Amino acid sequence: MLLLFPLLLSTVQTWAYRVPGQKKSDSCRCDVNTTIWSFPALRYEAVQQQVETCETSLHGLQQQVLVSSQRLPDIQVQISNLTARLEPYQYLHDRGLYTALSIRLLGQELSQLETDITVVHEIKVMVNVIIDIAYPKYSKLRKDVLKMQTSDTVNMKTVKEKLRYLKNNVESCKSIPKDFRDTFPPVSGQNRYCMKGLITNISEPVTTKINPYNKNHVSGSWGKQAQMDSESDTETYWVQTLTSSNIYGNIVRLYQTYKDFMRSANHRDATFSSSVTAPTAIEGPSAVLYGDGLYYHCYRSADICRYDLKTNEVKRVTLPGTGVGFNNKFPYCYYECRSNSDVDVEADETGLWALYATVGNHGNLVVSKLFWDDNSKTINVSQTWETRLFKKAATNAFMVCGVMYATRYVDEYREEVFYAFDTATGKEDNSLELPLEKVAKGVASLSYNPVDRQIYMYNDGYLLAYQAYF
């Protein structure tokens, strides 16, 4: 088995390093020598030393020029004084009365003045010559150092991205035994609305819009009322933007029609918590409007909250599992971690779901089925599944007909659905390659709506929707 690491340089060259592997016990071991990408530290230090020496020399010359410049006024004063003193000698000379002593004294002063002027002139000439020679060399050395730093930054970022990509692929492969990678059977016995089999394709965005606040609010969730048999208006659209540090919020914005939503008109704001730090505030970019209830992750807890749009009451339930992750313990990551995306609430044809990770499941995704008991007015957890997908190896996830789908980062304008877990059979598949186009790099939330079979993405402040095909 060979691994290929492309290393991009600032000169837009591509280097490749092939690594031989050894197969042992159904696994492949490759020893990668990362020193080939090492930054040339010795050369860098030598060049840096030369630059520092040049800077010191130039500084010294500048000081000498400054001192010489400071001496020039004194010399000019001496010249003025000598000129004044020459007047009596000129008078004596005109009358032939000067003496040998006066001539000798005047000669000594003139000799000293000549020496001073010569020294200043020599220093000035020397400084100009050295600057003419040293400055171009200094400039070249400085450019070389900056070029090396730029090249090193590009190399390190490229290698980091490639290593992250390989690491996440390894985590995904480790999580799924070989005998689980077969084609999913048609989903049966769960819900009369469910389509057969897995999603086969996802459209380009059919809706693209900036969130109603501004695009600087990069985290949140949005969608359409998701309960299929609800007496509530199934045409209601909602947006829940995390307006505090892109992590916390306490308001959901509601629109009665798609037209109102697209025009950002005739909205109603429902406040489900007294503040963004109250126990009933939302933490993290995941919510879903299901019937008359907004379901979301409760502030700094392992709980799911339900806010009733009619009564304004908030109910909650604690998720099962040992060491349920919250407060940024197990966020979605892959390329870049999405702050406080520990608990993900989803809806599909079969009802409500919570997706999260636990210490007991080694940071892998856990799926819990939720339901609302209208008689007792309580949220309940009916069943829980543990998957083998490491949560930080995914950018997001959503549910469709009891199947959890997970995504990963491909590039700035594309995500990919690569994994599925079927709660009906317990089977897992990481061979999917379903592209999702984006308009920005980060994915805050993904949710599927069973009413219109669309997937809703909160994409770094942009609201996108896609059509799912089966």
Side-chain angles (χ1 to χ4, degrees), residues 271-288:
T271 302
F272 51 86
S273 180
S274 58
S275 73
V276 295
T277 58
T280 54
I282 184 172
E283 176 180 325
S286 179
V288 63

Side-chain angles (χ1 to χ4, degrees), residues 179-447:
D179 58 349
F180 276 1
R181 295 179 189 155
D182 40 28
T183 303
F184 276 35
V187 178
S188 60
Q190 291 206 26
N191 192 288
R192 66 181 184 275
Y193 298 110
C194 280
M195 304 297 290
K196 293 183 178 180
L198 296 176
I199 295 176
T200 59
N201 194 21
I202 299 172
S203 74
E204 297 178 353
V206 296
T207 300
T208 303
K209 185 181 185 298
I210 296 177
N211 78 79
Y213 296 89
N214 61 66
K215 64 180 180 181
N216 293 326
H217 293 297
V218 297
S219 279
S221 49
W222 80 288
K224 185 179 180 181
Q225 196 283 109
Q227 187 173 358
M228 304 184 71
D229 296 328
S230 172
E231 296 179 359
S232 302
D233 187 0
T234 57
E235 293 302 312
T236 299
Y237 284 81
W238 59 275
V239 181
Q240 201 296 302
T241 298
L242 301 176
T243 55
S244 176
S245 304
N246 291 312
I247 297 175
Y248 311 108
N250 65 334
I251 295 174
V252 59
R253 181 160 292 186
L254 304 164
Y255 302 88
Q256 290 303 308
T257 66
Y258 180 75
K259 183 178 180 180
D260 286 343
F261 164 72
M262 291 302 295
R263 293 169 53 199
S264 296
N266 304 322
H267 68 268
R268 175 173 74 90
D269 286 342
T271 302
F272 51 86
S273 180
S274 58
S275 73
V276 295
T277 58
T280 54
I282 184 172
E283 176 180 325
S286 179
V288 63
L289 181 61
Y290 194 78
D292 292 323
L294 179 73
Y295 294 80
Y296 58 92
H297 175 212
C298 310
Y299 177 80
R300 291 192 179 179
S301 70
D303 296 355
I304 297 295
C305 282
R306 179 189 186 272
Y307 168 71
D308 194 302
L309 294 175
K310 291 183 176 179
T311 65
N312 295 323
E313 290 183 323
V314 177
K315 300 291 185 179
R316 59 199 301 155
V317 64
T318 300
L319 294 171
T322 302
V324 174
F326 63 91
N327 198 22
N328 215 34
K329 185 177 182 65
F330 293 123
Y332 288 122
C333 281
Y334 197 83
Y335 184 77
E336 290 179 351
C337 291
R338 177 62 57 168
S339 297
N340 298 71
S341 57
D342 302 79
V343 179
D344 190 356
V345 185
E346 299 290 337
D348 68 358
E349 291 85 352
T350 69
L352 290 162
W353 303 86
L355 312 178
Y356 55 99
T358 65
V359 175
N361 197 34
H362 314 291
N364 295 331
L365 271 163
V366 174
V367 182
S368 284
K369 188 76 171 65
L370 308 175
F371 72 93
W372 170 252
D373 189 329
D374 202 41
N375 294 322
S376 62
K377 305 298 181 184
T378 58
I379 316 174
N380 300 279
V381 179
S382 61
Q383 194 171 352
T384 298
W385 296 260
E386 293 184 345
T387 76
R388 281 171 284 271
L389 177 65
F390 189 53
K391 189 170 186 288
K392 289 186 176 182
T395 53
N396 227 281
F398 58 94
M399 299 293 300
V400 180
C401 286
V403 177
M404 183 191 74
Y405 294 86
T407 61
R408 62 187 172 194
Y409 176 91
V410 177
D411 57 43
E412 186 171 355
Y413 300 109
R414 191 158 58 98
E415 293 282 309
E416 180 180 72
V417 177
F418 75 102
Y419 171 90
F421 172 83
D422 187 0
T423 58
T425 63
K427 290 184 179 293
E428 302 177 271
D429 187 346
N430 73 336
S431 63
L432 302 180
E433 295 180 350
L434 302 175
L436 273 170
E437 293 185 11
K438 306 178 292 183
V439 297
K441 179 184 290 186
V443 176
S445 64
L446 274 174
S447 61

